[in-house]
Amino acid sequence: MLHSLKPSDPQAGGFCFENSRRNTVLESSLSELGYKAPNARKTGTTITGIVFKDGVILGADTRATDDMVVVDKNCLKIHYIAPSIYCCGAGVAADADVTTQIMASNVELHMLNTGRPPLIAMVIRQLKQMLFRYQGNIGASLIVGGIDVTGPQLYSVFPHGSYDKLPFLALGSGAAAAISVLEDRFKANMELEEAKQLVRDAIAAGIFCDLGSGSNVDLCVITEAGVEQLRSYDVPEVKGKREGQYRYKPGTTAVLTKTVTPLTLDVVDESVKVMDTE
Amino acid sequence: MPDFVQRVSAKNELVPEWASQEVSTGTTIMAVEYDGGVVIGADSRTTTGAYIANRVTDKLTQIHERIYCCRSGSAADTQAIADVVTYQLGFHSIELDEPPLVETAANLFKASCYRYREELTAGILVAGWDKRKGGQVYCVPIGGMLVRQPVSVGGSGSTYIYGFMDSNYKPGMTKDKCMELTATALSLAMERDGSSGGVVRLASISEEGVERRVILGNELPRFSTH
């Protein structure tokens, strides 16, 4: 009856974390020698969600980083799970993406099995059971929001499998900046426009005050009437225009001397490889 | 600390330290028996490192109609165990066709906490009312021990209130006195423990049912040092 809580359960297919203990030992010994182990790419991110009068609004920035380099200036962090349930992902980019895709498939199957529209509580239960089974090795921090028969709901799920149900949330590296805006201005039962502005401001705080977040603000408004995905709802940072011409015309720099040194190369070895074309 | 707890790599400078640490309910929880029931209480702070992930957490989790548990330790571990025990106890109760005993719930917690003691960080207080023994409090700390106590405290903030509890608890207190004792003890712990804070959640469980209360930050009892 009690399903195993042990981390290293041999699973046919899926992830295998047998090497994680070896890797931690290797990482510590590598750092002693001065080398760095390769990192999983993380979306240093700001994601938020709020519950307002008619439903839920999810917001995210659009920058994906690999250490200090921006690898994607406009990536979509708001993922589809069900017609009225969407999910923002922070943490390891691949883990967040794949986990939400797995959830979307499971929800579809569950809907077909039960013949009912999905409950967000069901999505959360499946998510946290999966993440707990992997004991935090799947680095996905998610904000799941949507509407079901019981009303609008917003949950956060952490990599180790814990979850919180709250009226407003912020996750990711820019969470500290975003949560301060939300703590200041959030009120229960806000109107749509005020709520959109609040989420936009919270993400903007993350974009400006966190190095791992940037580019545009994406919003996703979920109500009884349907889902409105507002891609690039706001572009707080516009790329600057170059003021001057930085290319030098040929002839700007005068040639003073010219020396030519030919490199004499001898043929050392010549071999012919016949290509098998039959 | 269990060996197998993996931390998502914090090597990336952009991701702050707290974002890669496990979510913990560094906590203060308390449960008191009185004649006819139990009073349980908890703070409401959940932390990831130095960041408060949830400042209004509900750590008093319902396991069955008149059985609750107070959770401390790793948020993920305690939520998972509580879900498992809720399922097991619900199934058992349906088989029995009777409300389950608090001792049964406590033993189910102990079974999970002891069996997986190397992998788990969970300190749980199981409290409730049943027809056989009335109000009962069982303590299942880290490691999986099980012991019944008339008063029990748990979590990181509990160390600050052992003295208060030992000197102020008297057997035979009424329900309201127990509520007051719990609220005061929790406020004292929340003052001193950085990992405890927010609001005080109280509940009383008796034959009549469950009564829940929240005491907000500004309504908490104040003390002479400040």
Side-chain angles (χ1 to χ4, degrees):
Chain A
M1 258 209 304
L2 177 70
H3 287 286
S4 176
L5 297 172
K6 264 185 148 35
S8 42
D9 228 344
Q11 301 248 338
F15 304 113
C16 171
F17 286 96
E18 271 172 15
N19 289 329
S20 30
R21 281 179 93 188
R22 175 208 75 173
N23 290 346
T24 30
V25 174
L26 273 179
E27 267 177 27
S28 51
S29 54
L30 273 179
S31 58
E32 280 165 36
L33 298 167
Y35 297 112
K36 223 168 65 119
N39 290 333
R41 186 188 0 137
K42 305 189 76 142
T43 45
T45 287
T46 310
I47 48 174
T48 53
I50 64 170
V51 176
F52 72 107
K53 197 177 90 180
D54 308 316
V56 163
I57 302 186
L58 300 174
D61 74 303
T62 59
R63 176 182 286 183
T65 51
D66 192 354
D67 257 350
M68 281 296 179
V69 179
V70 175
V71 295
D72 193 344
K73 290 183 277 190
N74 205 351
C75 78
L76 181 58
K77 300 184 188 180
I78 305 181
H79 311 279
Y80 166 90
I81 290 195
S84 53
I85 306 175
Y86 277 71
C87 170
C88 304
V92 180
D95 287 346
D97 275 347
V98 172
T99 306
T100 40
Q101 280 169 19
I102 291 174
M103 280 307 121
S105 307
N106 287 350
V107 167
E108 180 78 32
L109 289 170
H110 196 264
M111 269 206 294
L112 291 167
N113 260 322
T114 57
R116 294 184 175 124
L119 293 172
I120 297 158
M122 181 268 284
V123 178
I124 298 302
R125 195 154 263 243
Q126 296 206 329
L127 256 177
K128 75 156 157 85
Q129 284 179 351
M130 179 179 136
L131 292 173
F132 185 79
R133 204 177 341 130
Y134 288 100
Q135 289 285 291
N137 285 309
I138 297 184
S141 300
L142 306 163
I143 294 183
V144 183
I147 287 206
D148 59 29
V149 284
T150 46
Q153 282 154 80
L154 190 65
Y155 288 87
S156 69
V157 185
F158 287 88
H160 284 268
S162 59
Y163 70 96
D164 292 302
K165 178 170 188 281
L166 290 163
F168 61 91
L169 286 165
L171 243 54
S173 57
I179 200 72
S180 55
V181 175
L182 292 174
E183 285 279 6
D184 186 33
R185 285 160 44 188
F186 176 83
K187 292 188 296 288
N189 291 324
M190 279 192 295
E191 294 295 334
L192 175 66
E193 284 311 313
E194 197 189 346
K196 273 160 64 171
Q197 186 63 25
L198 177 61
V199 177
R200 181 254 152 219
D201 288 342
I203 302 287
I207 288 172
F208 290 125
C209 306
D210 173 44
L211 293 179
S213 310
S215 300
N216 320 324
V217 178
D218 283 347
L219 286 190
C220 181
V221 183
I222 309 173
T223 52
E224 291 280 339
V227 177
E228 210 189 325
Q229 275 220 307
L230 300 159
R231 190 98 162 95
S232 302
Y233 174 74
D234 188 30
V235 186
E237 289 177 348
V238 185
K239 193 170 169 185
K241 256 181 76 76
R242 283 208 196 111
E243 292 302 316
Q245 259 284 40
Y246 298 105
R247 301 212 80 191
Y248 293 105
K249 285 202 293 279
T252 309
T253 319
V255 178
L256 297 178
T257 49
K258 190 165 143 184
T259 321
V260 177
T261 314
L263 281 171
T264 40
L265 296 170
D266 295 324
V267 176
V268 175
D269 181 35
E270 196 178 326
S271 62
V272 178
K273 247 202 195 100
V274 179
M275 214 162 64
D276 191 2
T277 49
E278 288 303 312
Chain B
M1 272 303 282
D3 297 330
F4 294 171
V5 171
Q6 287 290 322
R7 300 210 147 68
V8 174
S9 173
K11 303 265 171 61
N12 187 345
E13 290 122 345
L14 291 175
V15 181
E17 188 63 36
W18 58 258
S20 46
Q21 283 178 344
E22 193 179 340
V23 177
S24 123
T25 44
T27 283
T28 316
I29 48 176
M30 181 162 165
V32 189
E33 283 177 21
Y34 66 91
D35 183 23
V38 292
V39 167
I40 55 175
D43 75 303
S44 69
R45 185 172 286 184
T46 315
T47 48
T48 38
Y51 181 73
I52 299 173
N54 187 351
R55 58 179 169 84
V56 285
T57 327
D58 186 8
K59 302 180 190 178
L60 307 174
T61 307
Q62 187 171 39
I63 304 295
H64 204 265
E65 210 179 316
R66 284 182 179 74
I67 305 176
Y68 270 68
C69 77
C70 310
R71 303 180 290 114
S72 73
S74 153
D77 290 350
T78 53
Q79 280 174 0
I81 299 170
D83 281 350
V84 164
V85 172
T86 307
Y87 160 72
Q88 291 174 327
L89 198 66
F91 190 87
H92 166 74
S93 170
I94 288 172
E95 280 186 318
L96 233 55
D97 199 21
E98 238 180 58
L101 299 176
V102 186
E103 193 173 351
T104 313
N107 275 93
L108 286 171
F109 270 105
K110 182 213 49 198
S112 296
C113 291
Y114 182 72
R115 182 127 178 254
Y116 298 104
R117 57 184 301 171
E118 304 301 325
E119 287 95 340
L120 296 172
T121 314
I124 297 176
L125 295 178
V126 186
W129 181 93
D130 64 36
K131 221 170 56 177
R132 210 183 273 187
K133 293 186 184 162
Q136 299 145 74
V137 169
Y138 293 90
C139 181
V140 184
I142 293 176
M145 175 184 86
L146 171 63
V147 70
R148 183 181 169 187
Q149 293 176 311
V151 197
S152 198
V153 293
S156 57
S158 64
T159 50
Y160 303 102
I161 49 173
Y162 278 112
F164 176 81
M165 203 186 70
D166 287 337
S167 53
N168 287 72
Y169 170 74
K170 314 253 176 310
M173 291 201 302
T174 61
K175 178 176 97 162
D176 291 320
K177 288 242 99 171
C178 288
M179 286 276 218
E180 217 182 283
L181 178 75
T182 311
T184 313
L186 289 171
S187 314
L188 284 167
M190 280 155 60
E191 269 311 307
R192 288 293 178 178
D193 179 30
S195 316
S196 304
V199 304
V200 168
R201 292 195 189 274
L202 291 170
S204 77
I205 311 170
S206 62
E207 185 172 6
E208 282 80 50
V210 179
E211 217 185 273
R212 296 204 60 158
R213 254 177 61 196
V214 180
I215 305 181
L216 300 178
N218 55 351
E219 298 160 10
L220 288 172
R222 289 210 182 86
F223 309 103
S224 57
T225 44
H226 27 266

